[in-house]
Amino acid sequence: MTSASLVTWEDRVGATDWAAVRTDLDRYGCGLTGPLLTAEETAGIAALYPDGARFRSTVSMARYRFGEGEYRYFAEPFPEAVTGLKQALYPKLLPIARDWWQRLGRPAPWPDRLDDWLAACHAAGQAKSTPILLRYRAGDWNALHRDLYGDLVFPLQVVINLNEPGVDHDGGEFLLVEQRPRAQSRGTATLLPHCHGYLFTTRDRPVRSARGWSAAPVRHGVSVIRSGQRHTLGLVFHDAP
């Protein structure tokens, strides 16, 4: 069944094998969903990039030594796919987030509804929108980093490759580097399939250690685009100061 044949955003998100995704998240700190957008929808979102009126700010990665390339934060009203996918994904991610924080002995502040969580972010002074549209051209890359905007953080986020690897671009693998307790760091590289979602940890995640559970810091980035162009939609589940 394709994403186009599924009526609602909840149907699309629900078609993923979430038990398998959860297993991958626990093993590697990342996991792939099934298709969340159609090819037509990904092309439509990527085509919004030149329209400055759709965004609240633009960041040049080179200016801040974040890498090479550019990204833009969406302004409200968001594209339907942004709002629909965030609302549909949050209930799937919430049990994973709560379980992770329980293992680490941390309070889990996230309510059952995304709207209530975002209202808590806004009450704490984190009211800036965080859905991101990134654009990479040949030679561009994204330095390893974590998307931490304020004190209130949701520990999982989702990216969707809006272009087709091997057709629209070569290179541009998604990189994840995990700093393991009292050990060398571990790297994971994934060439994101067109239209699929990719889940990964925002900050850190629980890993087993000699003392039980420890928090392993995780950074993410993108390898050099060798040719072509790559657009990515990023869905972050907390807002920024």
Side-chain angles (χ1 to χ4, degrees):
M1 186 176 294
T2 66
S3 56
S5 66
L6 298 172
V7 177
T8 68
W9 297 109
E10 288 76 12
D11 288 337
R12 299 193 196 191
V13 170
T16 286
D17 183 347
W18 283 96
V21 171
R22 188 163 186 164
T23 297
D24 285 343
L25 284 168
D26 279 336
R27 286 178 178 171
Y28 311 116
C30 54
L32 278 169
T33 74
L36 298 179
L37 296 170
T38 66
E40 293 76 14
E41 288 165 343
T42 59
I45 294 170
L48 296 175
Y49 197 88
D51 184 359
R54 300 301 302 265
F55 304 93
R56 67 170 178 83
S57 67
T58 301
V59 176
S60 167
M61 296 188 209
R63 178 181 178 185
Y64 297 99
R65 303 187 71 180
F66 293 165
E68 297 286 344
E70 192 177 85
Y71 58 87
R72 295 185 133 179
Y73 289 99
F74 277 104
E76 297 189 65
F78 303 133
E80 179 188 353
V82 169
T83 302
L85 286 176
K86 285 186 69 172
Q87 290 287 346
L89 284 162
Y90 182 77
K92 299 295 186 181
L93 304 184
L94 184 59
I96 302 170
R98 287 173 171 171
D99 179 56
W100 277 10
W101 258 228
Q102 181 180 32
R103 295 186 211 176
L104 293 172
R106 298 173 177 174
W110 314 291
D112 291 341
R113 297 176 65 250
L114 175 61
D115 289 344
D116 293 337
W117 168 239
L118 294 179
C121 290
H122 298 172
Q126 296 179 207
K128 293 181 180 178
S129 60
T130 51
I132 308 171
L133 185 57
L134 304 99
R135 184 187 67 188
Y136 300 91
R137 292 169 170 167
D140 290 346
W141 56 282
N142 196 341
L144 294 171
H145 66 284
R146 297 188 288 176
D147 294 321
L148 302 178
Y149 300 114
D151 293 333
L152 298 184
V153 176
F154 192 78
L156 292 161
Q157 57 185 291
V158 178
V159 294
I160 302 172
N161 188 355
L162 305 180
N163 296 104
E164 188 171 353
V167 176
D168 299 318
H169 67 87
D170 289 312
E173 294 84 1
F174 191 93
L175 306 175
L176 208 68
V177 176
E178 178 177 277
Q179 182 181 327
R180 298 178 299 160
R182 293 171 294 281
Q184 296 291 334
S185 297
R186 181 180 71 176
T188 302
T190 306
L191 192 59
L192 303 186
H194 187 207
C195 303
H196 291 240
Y198 186 75
L199 279 67
F200 61 99
T201 181
T202 302
R203 176 171 77 177
D204 52 20
R205 72 182 190 95
V207 296
R208 286 200 176 275
S209 68
R211 300 177 182 178
W213 293 101
S214 296
V218 179
R219 295 178 296 160
H220 64 277
V222 175
S223 70
V224 175
I225 307 295
R226 293 186 284 277
S227 65
Q229 186 166 252
R230 177 184 184 272
H231 292 84
T232 306
L233 174 65
L235 302 177
V236 179
F237 293 83
H238 51 268
D239 282 347

